[in-house]
PDB file of all heavy atoms in Angstrom:
ATOM      1  N   HIS A   1     -53.854 119.658  68.295  1.00 98.00           N
ATOM      2  CA  HIS A   1     -53.192 119.846  69.649  1.00 98.00           C
ATOM      3  C   HIS A   1     -52.516 121.210  69.757  1.00 98.00           C
ATOM      4  O   HIS A   1     -52.300 121.679  70.778  1.00 98.00           O
ATOM      5  CB  HIS A   1     -52.146 118.716  69.924  1.00 98.00           C
ATOM      6  CG  HIS A   1     -52.746 117.372  70.099  1.00 98.00           C
ATOM      7  ND1 HIS A   1     -52.038 116.176  70.083  1.00 98.00           N
ATOM      8  CD2 HIS A   1     -54.043 116.903  70.075  1.00 98.00           C
ATOM      9  CE1 HIS A   1     -52.821 115.107  70.170  1.00 98.00           C
ATOM     10  NE2 HIS A   1     -54.069 115.564  70.144  1.00 98.00           N
ATOM     11  N   MET A   2     -52.208 121.657  68.531  1.00 98.00           N
ATOM     12  CA  MET A   2     -51.519 123.038  68.510  1.00 98.00           C
ATOM     13  C   MET A   2     -51.950 123.756  67.223  1.00 98.00           C
ATOM     14  O   MET A   2     -52.329 123.093  66.195  1.00 98.00           O
ATOM     15  CB  MET A   2     -50.009 122.841  68.436  1.00 98.00           C
ATOM     16  CG  MET A   2     -49.260 124.121  68.461  1.00 98.00           C
ATOM     17  SD  MET A   2     -47.368 123.884  68.454  1.00 98.00           S
ATOM     18  CE  MET A   2     -47.118 123.359  70.180  1.00 98.00           C
ATOM     19  N   ALA A   3     -52.063 125.061  67.270  1.00 98.00           N
ATOM     20  CA  ALA A   3     -52.576 125.790  66.111  1.00 98.00           C
ATOM     21  C   ALA A   3     -52.063 127.155  66.095  1.00 98.00           C
ATOM     22  O   ALA A   3     -51.733 127.801  67.107  1.00 98.00           O
ATOM     23  CB  ALA A   3     -54.120 125.829  66.123  1.00 98.00           C
ATOM     24  N   LEU A   4     -51.998 127.744  64.920  1.00 98.00           N
ATOM     25  CA  LEU A   4     -51.720 129.084  64.642  1.00 98.00           C
ATOM     26  C   LEU A   4     -53.009 129.834  64.895  1.00 98.00           C
ATOM     27  O   LEU A   4     -54.065 129.430  64.434  1.00 98.00           O
ATOM     28  CB  LEU A   4     -51.216 129.394  63.264  1.00 98.00           C
ATOM     29  CG  LEU A   4     -51.050 130.837  62.833  1.00 98.00           C
ATOM     30  CD1 LEU A   4     -49.835 131.471  63.590  1.00 98.00           C
ATOM     31  CD2 LEU A   4     -50.795 130.930  61.305  1.00 98.00           C
ATOM     32  N   GLY A   5     -53.069 130.904  65.596  1.00 95.00           N
ATOM     33  CA  GLY A   5     -54.327 131.634  65.870  1.00 95.00           C
ATOM     34  C   GLY A   5     -54.062 133.048  66.444  1.00 95.00           C
ATOM     35  O   GLY A   5     -52.923 133.533  66.566  1.00 95.00           O
ATOM     36  N   TYR A   6     -55.127 133.702  66.786  1.00 92.00           N
ATOM     37  CA  TYR A   6     -55.178 135.067  67.324  1.00 92.00           C
ATOM     38  C   TYR A   6     -55.396 135.004  68.791  1.00 92.00           C
ATOM     39  O   TYR A   6     -56.022 134.162  69.295  1.00 92.00           O
ATOM     40  CB  TYR A   6     -56.292 135.835  66.576  1.00 92.00           C
ATOM     41  CG  TYR A   6     -56.193 135.879  65.192  1.00 92.00           C
ATOM     42  CD1 TYR A   6     -57.002 135.108  64.378  1.00 92.00           C
ATOM     43  CD2 TYR A   6     -55.358 136.769  64.502  1.00 92.00           C
ATOM     44  CE1 TYR A   6     -57.009 135.156  63.026  1.00 92.00           C
ATOM     45  CE2 TYR A   6     -55.379 136.863  63.076  1.00 92.00           C
ATOM     46  CZ  TYR A   6     -56.159 135.972  62.368  1.00 92.00           C
ATOM     47  OH  TYR A   6     -56.171 136.022  61.021  1.00 92.00           O
ATOM     48  N   SER A   7     -54.916 136.029  69.398  1.00 91.00           N
ATOM     49  CA  SER A   7     -55.243 136.241  70.862  1.00 91.00           C
ATOM     50  C   SER A   7     -56.769 136.336  71.034  1.00 91.00           C
ATOM     51  O   SER A   7     -57.423 136.999  70.235  1.00 91.00           O
ATOM     52  CB  SER A   7     -54.553 137.509  71.486  1.00 91.00           C
ATOM     53  OG  SER A   7     -54.957 138.617  70.643  1.00 91.00           O
ATOM     54  N   GLY A   8     -57.308 135.635  72.006  1.00 89.00           N
ATOM     55  CA  GLY A   8     -58.831 135.538  72.100  1.00 89.00           C
ATOM     56  C   GLY A   8     -59.347 134.292  71.532  1.00 89.00           C
ATOM     57  O   GLY A   8     -60.468 133.905  71.941  1.00 89.00           O
ATOM     58  N   ASP A   9     -58.669 133.665  70.560  1.00 93.00           N
ATOM     59  CA  ASP A   9     -59.166 132.389  70.017  1.00 93.00           C
ATOM     60  C   ASP A   9     -59.341 131.341  71.054  1.00 93.00           C
ATOM     61  O   ASP A   9     -60.189 130.433  70.900  1.00 93.00           O
ATOM     62  CB  ASP A   9     -58.287 131.910  68.879  1.00 93.00           C
ATOM     63  CG  ASP A   9     -58.501 132.680  67.578  1.00 93.00           C
ATOM     64  OD1 ASP A   9     -59.533 133.407  67.490  1.00 93.00           O
ATOM     65  OD2 ASP A   9     -57.725 132.462  66.612  1.00 93.00           O
ATOM     66  N   GLN A  10     -58.465 131.379  72.071  1.00 94.00           N
ATOM     67  CA  GLN A  10     -58.521 130.282  73.078  1.00 94.00           C
ATOM     68  C   GLN A  10     -59.835 130.251  73.802  1.00 94.00           C
ATOM     69  O   GLN A  10     -60.370 129.163  74.028  1.00 94.00           O
ATOM     70  CB  GLN A  10     -57.418 130.398  74.054  1.00 94.00           C
ATOM     71  CG  GLN A  10     -57.455 131.594  75.049  1.00 94.00           C
ATOM     72  CD  GLN A  10     -56.764 132.864  74.447  1.00 94.00           C
ATOM     73  OE1 GLN A  10     -56.829 133.055  73.262  1.00 94.00           O
ATOM     74  NE2 GLN A  10     -56.284 133.634  75.323  1.00 94.00           N
ATOM     75  N   TYR A  11     -60.463 131.462  73.937  1.00 91.00           N
ATOM     76  CA  TYR A  11     -61.830 131.401  74.644  1.00 91.00           C
ATOM     77  C   TYR A  11     -62.892 130.887  73.751  1.00 91.00           C
ATOM     78  O   TYR A  11     -63.736 130.211  74.164  1.00 91.00           O
ATOM     79  CB  TYR A  11     -62.096 132.887  75.093  1.00 91.00           C
ATOM     80  CG  TYR A  11     -61.064 133.465  76.048  1.00 91.00           C
ATOM     81  CD1 TYR A  11     -60.133 134.342  75.574  1.00 91.00           C
ATOM     82  CD2 TYR A  11     -61.024 133.041  77.358  1.00 91.00           C
ATOM     83  CE1 TYR A  11     -59.201 134.854  76.524  1.00 91.00           C
ATOM     84  CE2 TYR A  11     -60.078 133.560  78.242  1.00 91.00           C
ATOM     85  CZ  TYR A  11     -59.159 134.506  77.822  1.00 91.00           C
ATOM     86  OH  TYR A  11     -58.256 134.957  78.716  1.00 91.00           O
ATOM     87  N   THR A  12     -62.845 131.212  72.455  1.00 91.00           N
ATOM     88  CA  THR A  12     -63.733 130.697  71.549  1.00 91.00           C
ATOM     89  C   THR A  12     -63.634 129.103  71.400  1.00 91.00           C
ATOM     90  O   THR A  12     -64.614 128.427  71.329  1.00 91.00           O
ATOM     91  CB  THR A  12     -63.631 131.314  70.226  1.00 91.00           C
ATOM     92  OG1 THR A  12     -63.788 132.727  70.268  1.00 91.00           O
ATOM     93  CG2 THR A  12     -64.613 130.799  69.180  1.00 91.00           C
ATOM     94  N   LEU A  13     -62.391 128.649  71.299  1.00 96.00           N
ATOM     95  CA  LEU A  13     -62.110 127.265  71.218  1.00 96.00           C
ATOM     96  C   LEU A  13     -62.656 126.556  72.479  1.00 96.00           C
ATOM     97  O   LEU A  13     -63.354 125.480  72.345  1.00 96.00           O
ATOM     98  CB  LEU A  13     -60.676 126.974  71.156  1.00 96.00           C
ATOM     99  CG  LEU A  13     -59.961 127.383  69.835  1.00 96.00           C
ATOM    100  CD1 LEU A  13     -58.507 127.222  69.797  1.00 96.00           C
ATOM    101  CD2 LEU A  13     -60.581 126.511  68.649  1.00 96.00           C
ATOM    102  N   ASN A  14     -62.474 127.099  73.640  1.00 95.00           N
ATOM    103  CA  ASN A  14     -62.903 126.428  74.844  1.00 95.00           C
ATOM    104  C   ASN A  14     -64.410 126.465  74.910  1.00 95.00           C
ATOM    105  O   ASN A  14     -65.049 125.421  75.424  1.00 95.00           O
ATOM    106  CB  ASN A  14     -62.355 127.162  76.063  1.00 95.00           C
ATOM    107  CG  ASN A  14     -60.895 126.983  76.315  1.00 95.00           C
ATOM    108  OD1 ASN A  14     -60.349 125.876  75.912  1.00 95.00           O
ATOM    109  ND2 ASN A  14     -60.128 127.911  76.821  1.00 95.00           N
ATOM    110  N   ASP A  15     -65.066 127.425  74.361  1.00 92.00           N
ATOM    111  CA  ASP A  15     -66.459 127.477  74.233  1.00 92.00           C
ATOM    112  C   ASP A  15     -66.983 126.371  73.295  1.00 92.00           C
ATOM    113  O   ASP A  15     -68.010 125.754  73.569  1.00 92.00           O
ATOM    114  CB  ASP A  15     -66.974 128.855  73.916  1.00 92.00           C
ATOM    115  CG  ASP A  15     -68.508 129.013  73.836  1.00 92.00           C
ATOM    116  OD1 ASP A  15     -69.172 128.745  74.946  1.00 92.00           O
ATOM    117  OD2 ASP A  15     -69.077 129.223  72.781  1.00 92.00           O
ATOM    118  N   LYS A  16     -66.342 126.268  72.192  1.00 92.00           N
ATOM    119  CA  LYS A  16     -66.755 125.330  71.182  1.00 92.00           C
ATOM    120  C   LYS A  16     -66.710 123.920  71.657  1.00 92.00           C
ATOM    121  O   LYS A  16     -67.459 123.057  71.369  1.00 92.00           O
ATOM    122  CB  LYS A  16     -65.877 125.464  69.905  1.00 92.00           C
ATOM    123  CG  LYS A  16     -65.999 126.742  69.185  1.00 92.00           C
ATOM    124  CD  LYS A  16     -67.290 126.916  68.460  1.00 92.00           C
ATOM    125  CE  LYS A  16     -67.320 128.204  67.636  1.00 92.00           C
ATOM    126  NZ  LYS A  16     -68.716 128.439  67.074  1.00 92.00           N
ATOM    127  N   VAL A  17     -65.577 123.651  72.529  1.00 92.00           N
ATOM    128  CA  VAL A  17     -65.443 122.240  72.962  1.00 92.00           C
ATOM    129  C   VAL A  17     -65.993 122.072  74.380  1.00 92.00           C
ATOM    130  O   VAL A  17     -65.871 120.967  75.029  1.00 92.00           O
ATOM    131  CB  VAL A  17     -63.947 121.750  72.968  1.00 92.00           C
ATOM    132  CG1 VAL A  17     -63.395 121.952  71.601  1.00 92.00           C
ATOM    133  CG2 VAL A  17     -63.089 122.702  73.897  1.00 92.00           C
ATOM    134  N   SER A  18     -66.623 123.117  74.917  1.00 92.00           N
ATOM    135  CA  SER A  18     -67.233 123.088  76.314  1.00 92.00           C
ATOM    136  C   SER A  18     -66.219 122.587  77.312  1.00 92.00           C
ATOM    137  O   SER A  18     -66.612 121.784  78.138  1.00 92.00           O
ATOM    138  CB  SER A  18     -68.477 122.139  76.246  1.00 92.00           C
ATOM    139  OG  SER A  18     -69.448 122.648  75.286  1.00 92.00           O
ATOM    140  N   SER A  19     -65.121 123.176  77.327  1.00 92.00           N
ATOM    141  CA  SER A  19     -64.026 122.753  78.295  1.00 92.00           C
ATOM    142  C   SER A  19     -63.148 124.019  78.663  1.00 92.00           C
ATOM    143  O   SER A  19     -62.178 124.150  78.047  1.00 92.00           O
ATOM    144  CB  SER A  19     -63.143 121.673  77.637  1.00 92.00           C
ATOM    145  OG  SER A  19     -62.237 121.288  78.694  1.00 92.00           O
ATOM    146  N   PRO A  20     -63.639 124.751  79.619  1.00 91.00           N
ATOM    147  CA  PRO A  20     -62.928 126.120  79.929  1.00 91.00           C
ATOM    148  C   PRO A  20     -61.486 125.707  80.368  1.00 91.00           C
ATOM    149  O   PRO A  20     -61.238 124.765  81.125  1.00 91.00           O
ATOM    150  CB  PRO A  20     -63.745 126.572  81.109  1.00 91.00           C
ATOM    151  CG  PRO A  20     -65.106 126.008  80.899  1.00 91.00           C
ATOM    152  CD  PRO A  20     -64.871 124.627  80.367  1.00 91.00           C
ATOM    153  N   GLY A  21     -60.515 126.531  79.842  1.00 93.00           N
ATOM    154  CA  GLY A  21     -59.195 126.372  80.243  1.00 93.00           C
ATOM    155  C   GLY A  21     -58.385 125.328  79.517  1.00 93.00           C
ATOM    156  O   GLY A  21     -57.178 125.163  79.653  1.00 93.00           O
ATOM    157  N   LEU A  22     -59.025 124.559  78.615  1.00 97.00           N
ATOM    158  CA  LEU A  22     -58.356 123.447  77.942  1.00 97.00           C
ATOM    159  C   LEU A  22     -57.421 124.064  76.935  1.00 97.00           C
ATOM    160  O   LEU A  22     -56.180 123.695  76.902  1.00 97.00           O
ATOM    161  CB  LEU A  22     -59.367 122.624  77.084  1.00 97.00           C
ATOM    162  CG  LEU A  22     -58.731 121.500  76.301  1.00 97.00           C
ATOM    163  CD1 LEU A  22     -58.041 120.458  77.197  1.00 97.00           C
ATOM    164  CD2 LEU A  22     -59.781 120.823  75.533  1.00 97.00           C
ATOM    165  N   TRP A  23     -57.811 125.031  76.149  1.00 97.00           N
ATOM    166  CA  TRP A  23     -57.011 125.735  75.154  1.00 97.00           C
ATOM    167  C   TRP A  23     -56.319 126.895  75.757  1.00 97.00           C
ATOM    168  O   TRP A  23     -56.894 127.694  76.488  1.00 97.00           O
ATOM    169  CB  TRP A  23     -57.752 126.098  73.944  1.00 97.00           C
ATOM    170  CG  TRP A  23     -58.061 124.945  73.053  1.00 97.00           C
ATOM    171  CD1 TRP A  23     -59.090 124.144  72.989  1.00 97.00           C
ATOM    172  CD2 TRP A  23     -57.118 124.546  71.946  1.00 97.00           C
ATOM    173  NE1 TRP A  23     -58.979 123.169  72.028  1.00 97.00           N
ATOM    174  CE2 TRP A  23     -57.784 123.356  71.306  1.00 97.00           C
ATOM    175  CE3 TRP A  23     -55.920 124.926  71.483  1.00 97.00           C
ATOM    176  CZ2 TRP A  23     -57.233 122.704  70.334  1.00 97.00           C
ATOM    177  CZ3 TRP A  23     -55.276 124.176  70.430  1.00 97.00           C
ATOM    178  CH2 TRP A  23     -55.919 123.156  69.912  1.00 97.00           C
ATOM    179  N   ARG A  24     -55.020 127.104  75.559  1.00 95.00           N
ATOM    180  CA  ARG A  24     -54.271 128.230  76.020  1.00 95.00           C
ATOM    181  C   ARG A  24     -53.670 128.924  74.859  1.00 95.00           C
ATOM    182  O   ARG A  24     -53.536 128.419  73.726  1.00 95.00           O
ATOM    183  CB  ARG A  24     -53.185 127.831  77.005  1.00 95.00           C
ATOM    184  CG  ARG A  24     -53.805 127.012  78.261  1.00 95.00           C
ATOM    185  CD  ARG A  24     -54.762 127.854  79.072  1.00 95.00           C
ATOM    186  NE  ARG A  24     -54.138 129.054  79.511  1.00 95.00           N
ATOM    187  CZ  ARG A  24     -53.420 129.132  80.723  1.00 95.00           C
ATOM    188  NH1 ARG A  24     -53.386 128.041  81.489  1.00 95.00           N
ATOM    189  NH2 ARG A  24     -52.971 130.259  81.164  1.00 95.00           N
ATOM    190  N   TYR A  25     -53.048 130.153  75.048  1.00 95.00           N
ATOM    191  CA  TYR A  25     -52.527 130.934  74.053  1.00 95.00           C
ATOM    192  C   TYR A  25     -51.144 131.536  74.531  1.00 95.00           C
ATOM    193  O   TYR A  25     -51.109 132.025  75.656  1.00 95.00           O
ATOM    194  CB  TYR A  25     -53.493 132.045  73.644  1.00 95.00           C
ATOM    195  CG  TYR A  25     -52.977 133.188  72.690  1.00 95.00           C
ATOM    196  CD1 TYR A  25     -52.936 132.813  71.299  1.00 95.00           C
ATOM    197  CD2 TYR A  25     -52.444 134.293  73.112  1.00 95.00           C
ATOM    198  CE1 TYR A  25     -52.411 133.776  70.506  1.00 95.00           C
ATOM    199  CE2 TYR A  25     -51.911 135.203  72.304  1.00 95.00           C
ATOM    200  CZ  TYR A  25     -51.920 135.026  70.944  1.00 95.00           C
ATOM    201  OH  TYR A  25     -51.383 135.884  70.066  1.00 95.00           O
ATOM    202  N   VAL A  26     -50.179 131.571  73.739  1.00 93.00           N
ATOM    203  CA  VAL A  26     -48.885 132.257  74.073  1.00 93.00           C
ATOM    204  C   VAL A  26     -48.357 133.005  72.844  1.00 93.00           C
ATOM    205  O   VAL A  26     -48.702 132.662  71.676  1.00 93.00           O
ATOM    206  CB  VAL A  26     -47.828 131.238  74.477  1.00 93.00           C
ATOM    207  CG1 VAL A  26     -48.186 130.582  75.756  1.00 93.00           C
ATOM    208  CG2 VAL A  26     -47.538 130.218  73.359  1.00 93.00           C
ATOM    209  N   VAL A  27     -47.724 134.142  73.166  1.00 93.00           N
ATOM    210  CA  VAL A  27     -47.002 134.830  72.068  1.00 93.00           C
ATOM    211  C   VAL A  27     -45.558 134.381  72.148  1.00 93.00           C
ATOM    212  O   VAL A  27     -44.913 134.506  73.212  1.00 93.00           O
ATOM    213  CB  VAL A  27     -47.120 136.333  72.282  1.00 93.00           C
ATOM    214  CG1 VAL A  27     -46.243 137.118  71.289  1.00 93.00           C
ATOM    215  CG2 VAL A  27     -48.540 136.772  72.202  1.00 93.00           C
ATOM    216  N   PRO A  28     -44.956 133.915  71.049  1.00 94.00           N
ATOM    217  CA  PRO A  28     -43.597 133.510  71.039  1.00 94.00           C
ATOM    218  C   PRO A  28     -42.682 134.571  71.325  1.00 94.00           C
ATOM    219  O   PRO A  28     -42.824 135.708  71.097  1.00 94.00           O
ATOM    220  CB  PRO A  28     -43.386 132.999  69.554  1.00 94.00           C
ATOM    221  CG  PRO A  28     -44.814 132.533  69.189  1.00 94.00           C
ATOM    222  CD  PRO A  28     -45.699 133.606  69.770  1.00 94.00           C
ATOM    223  N   LYS A  29     -41.493 134.198  71.883  1.00 93.00           N
ATOM    224  CA  LYS A  29     -40.441 135.077  72.379  1.00 93.00           C
ATOM    225  C   LYS A  29     -39.866 135.982  71.334  1.00 93.00           C
ATOM    226  O   LYS A  29     -39.384 137.088  71.623  1.00 93.00           O
ATOM    227  CB  LYS A  29     -39.455 134.358  73.072  1.00 93.00           C
ATOM    228  CG  LYS A  29     -38.544 133.432  72.233  1.00 93.00           C
ATOM    229  CD  LYS A  29     -37.610 132.616  73.007  1.00 93.00           C
ATOM    230  CE  LYS A  29     -36.847 131.571  72.102  1.00 93.00           C
ATOM    231  NZ  LYS A  29     -35.901 130.759  72.925  1.00 93.00           N
ATOM    232  N   GLU A  30     -39.886 135.501  70.092  1.00 94.00           N
ATOM    233  CA  GLU A  30     -39.336 136.298  69.027  1.00 94.00           C
ATOM    234  C   GLU A  30     -40.068 137.502  68.606  1.00 94.00           C
ATOM    235  O   GLU A  30     -39.640 138.354  67.842  1.00 94.00           O
ATOM    236  CB  GLU A  30     -39.073 135.385  67.749  1.00 94.00           C
ATOM    237  CG  GLU A  30     -38.178 134.182  67.929  1.00 94.00           C
ATOM    238  CD  GLU A  30     -38.785 132.971  68.417  1.00 94.00           C
ATOM    239  OE1 GLU A  30     -40.134 133.012  68.716  1.00 94.00           O
ATOM    240  OE2 GLU A  30     -38.204 131.887  68.617  1.00 94.00           O
ATOM    241  N   GLY A  31     -41.341 137.516  69.027  1.00 93.00           N
ATOM    242  CA  GLY A  31     -42.181 138.653  68.567  1.00 93.00           C
ATOM    243  C   GLY A  31     -43.300 138.132  67.725  1.00 93.00           C
ATOM    244  O   GLY A  31     -43.372 136.904  67.308  1.00 93.00           O
ATOM    245  N   THR A  32     -44.205 139.059  67.277  1.00 94.00           N
ATOM    246  CA  THR A  32     -45.299 138.579  66.373  1.00 94.00           C
ATOM    247  C   THR A  32     -45.888 139.724  65.674  1.00 94.00           C
ATOM    248  O   THR A  32     -45.320 140.844  65.581  1.00 94.00           O
ATOM    249  CB  THR A  32     -46.382 137.963  67.344  1.00 94.00           C
ATOM    250  OG1 THR A  32     -47.412 137.382  66.510  1.00 94.00           O
ATOM    251  CG2 THR A  32     -46.991 138.916  68.297  1.00 94.00           C
ATOM    252  N   LEU A  33     -47.137 139.502  65.208  1.00 95.00           N
ATOM    253  CA  LEU A  33     -47.911 140.595  64.536  1.00 95.00           C
ATOM    254  C   LEU A  33     -48.882 141.197  65.546  1.00 95.00           C
ATOM    255  O   LEU A  33     -49.544 140.460  66.280  1.00 95.00           O
ATOM    256  CB  LEU A  33     -48.668 139.928  63.367  1.00 95.00           C
ATOM    257  CG  LEU A  33     -49.844 140.790  62.699  1.00 95.00           C
ATOM    258  CD1 LEU A  33     -49.242 141.952  61.885  1.00 95.00           C
ATOM    259  CD2 LEU A  33     -50.731 139.915  61.944  1.00 95.00           C
ATOM    260  N   SER A  34     -48.939 142.448  65.579  1.00 94.00           N
ATOM    261  CA  SER A  34     -49.981 143.164  66.375  1.00 94.00           C
ATOM    262  C   SER A  34     -51.022 143.650  65.401  1.00 94.00           C
ATOM    263  O   SER A  34     -50.695 144.503  64.519  1.00 94.00           O
ATOM    264  CB  SER A  34     -49.415 144.411  67.100  1.00 94.00           C
ATOM    265  OG  SER A  34     -50.414 145.121  67.772  1.00 94.00           O
TER     266      SER A  34
END
């Protein structure tokens, strides 16, 4: 239901499960790795 991942992974996940828009991605407010 939740995972650590990279920006762009949501599109690959949606393609893998054949459900566009199911997986979403956010960058936490504290910051992250670029």
Side-chain angles (χ1 to χ4, degrees):
H1 299 170
M2 182 179 285
L4 175 69
Y6 304 98
S7 55
D9 279 352
Q10 69 272 32
Y11 299 104
T12 302
L13 289 172
N14 288 331
D15 182 63
K16 296 289 186 186
V17 299
S18 301
S19 183
L22 178 67
W23 281 93
R24 303 298 301 272
Y25 171 83
V26 295
V27 176
K29 62 185 179 182
E30 296 89 357
T32 187
L33 168 72
S34 177

